[in-house]
Amino acid sequence: MQLEVNVIDAFTDTVFKGNSAAVIITDDWLSDDLMQSIAFENNLSETAFIVADDKGIYHIRWFSPSTEIAFCGHATLASAFVLFKKNPTAASIKFSAKAVGVLTIVQTETGKIQMDFPNKMPEKVYSIPDSLLSGLSVAPVDVYRNNQAYFVIYNAESDVLNVVRDNEKIKQLAPYDVVVTCQAKSTEYKNYDFISRYFWPANGGDEDPVTGSVHTGLAPLWAERLEKNELVAYQASSRGGVLDCAVVGDRVFISGNAVQYLTGVITVEE
């Protein structure tokens, strides 16, 4: 069996930046084992698998190299990029996933792809796990948590950029990952409202280059702290990525660019 695979760099307009995702569209679902094996072989943050129903809704599932992921923003952006390219007259695309329901995706006038996600505002944590405190070289100022991750607030950009983590201790927080973040204040980051880095050794990797899903928590958190609902975020990984965020009630709109890296064919046995 031969399957078309597209590899897209998401949340960037430059190849080799942002976060890479593989996108595979099939008429019917492959077996879970095969999808996991393909994701492992691809060895990207996520591989997205898509199956359309008879109503034109695209059902989507996301796999890291080690496990199925409930919700992935950058692979959703990559998938929308592929589908808009295949259907250039489409005004919008609807995805459906168990964890987040139906997602409506549109292309803005600037050419960015805008995704409509549930608001995942985290709640403040008053009893901080020892494995989180000992797993990061810089002590938190505040800690929050939603159903995806612990949100560690720092005062300085240097703390976010230079923090060293102990992956074995961070793994003990499973199923939660860890995002470290602070307000952007320096000249270097003058175009952004906040920056972050995302660590997920428990669910698929070391440090994720750009993480759309966690910004459904970061955006409302910083919207509240900065008293503004439209924000520009920078994920300060080695590849880096830019996310435009808008918080509107119980929804978070996240927009970004994407660029094609590869189109190819893989051969597998079902």
Side-chain angles (χ1 to χ4, degrees), residues 24-260:
I24 296 173
I25 304 169
T26 55
D27 294 330
D28 300 292
W29 289 115
L30 307 175
S31 70
D32 288 4
D33 286 346
L34 180 55
M35 287 190 286
Q36 187 62 72
S37 294
I38 292 171
F40 177 80
E41 184 80 3
N42 288 340
N43 198 31
L44 300 171
S45 292
E46 263 82 25
T47 297
F49 296 89
I50 302 169
V51 174
D53 65 19
D54 56 7
K55 297 179 181 178
I57 294 177
Y58 294 94
H59 297 263
I60 186 168
R61 294 172 68 182
W62 307 277
F63 287 77
S64 79
S66 62
T67 188
E68 184 170 6
I69 299 296
F71 171 35
C72 177
H74 89 276
T76 302
L77 175 57
S79 299
F81 177 87
V82 171
L83 290 170
F84 278 127
K85 199 169 182 180
K86 291 180 177 292
N87 304 279
T89 61
S92 65
I93 291 169
K94 288 187 182 295
F95 288 116
S96 178
K98 183 184 294 185
V100 289
V102 176
L103 309 172
T104 301
I105 318 295
V106 300
Q107 278 189 304
T108 67
E109 293 180 356
T110 64
K112 292 185 178 182
I113 294 173
Q114 182 188 77
M115 301 171 288
D116 176 359
F117 293 142
N119 184 323
K120 298 289 187 177
M121 175 73 173
E123 296 182 354
K124 190 162 184 176
V125 173
Y126 294 95
S127 180
I128 303 172
D130 289 340
S131 53
L132 179 59
L133 293 172
S134 61
L136 297 173
S137 63
V138 181
V141 174
D142 282 314
V143 176
Y144 294 76
R145 196 188 76 187
N146 65 9
N147 64 347
Q148 179 178 359
Y150 284 93
F151 293 68
V152 174
I153 307 296
Y154 290 138
N155 283 332
E157 293 166 354
S158 58
D159 292 337
V160 171
L161 298 174
N162 298 324
V163 65
V164 177
R165 74 260 177 210
D166 183 327
N167 279 347
E168 292 308 310
K169 291 180 178 177
I170 296 297
K171 282 181 181 179
Q172 295 173 19
L173 299 168
Y176 303 105
D177 299 317
V178 174
V179 59
V180 296
T181 183
C182 74
Q183 182 182 355
K185 299 177 182 178
S186 70
T187 301
E188 182 179 358
Y189 297 105
K190 65 182 180 180
N191 295 324
Y192 311 112
D193 293 292
F194 64 90
I195 68 171
S196 67
R197 292 172 65 199
Y198 187 81
F199 313 130
W200 63 316
N203 289 299
D206 188 17
E207 177 174 353
D208 198 41
V210 193
T211 315
S213 58
V214 82
H215 282 77
T216 63
L218 283 169
L221 179 60
W222 283 111
E224 183 178 272
R225 294 172 77 98
L226 300 178
E227 298 183 342
K228 58 187 299 187
N229 288 331
E230 294 188 2
L231 308 104
V232 181
Y234 181 73
Q235 192 155 330
S237 68
S238 59
R239 290 174 64 100
V242 179
L243 308 91
D244 294 342
C245 307
V247 181
V248 183
D250 65 352
R251 309 300 294 179
V252 176
F253 296 88
I254 297 177
S255 304
N257 290 307
V259 61
Q260 186 96 29

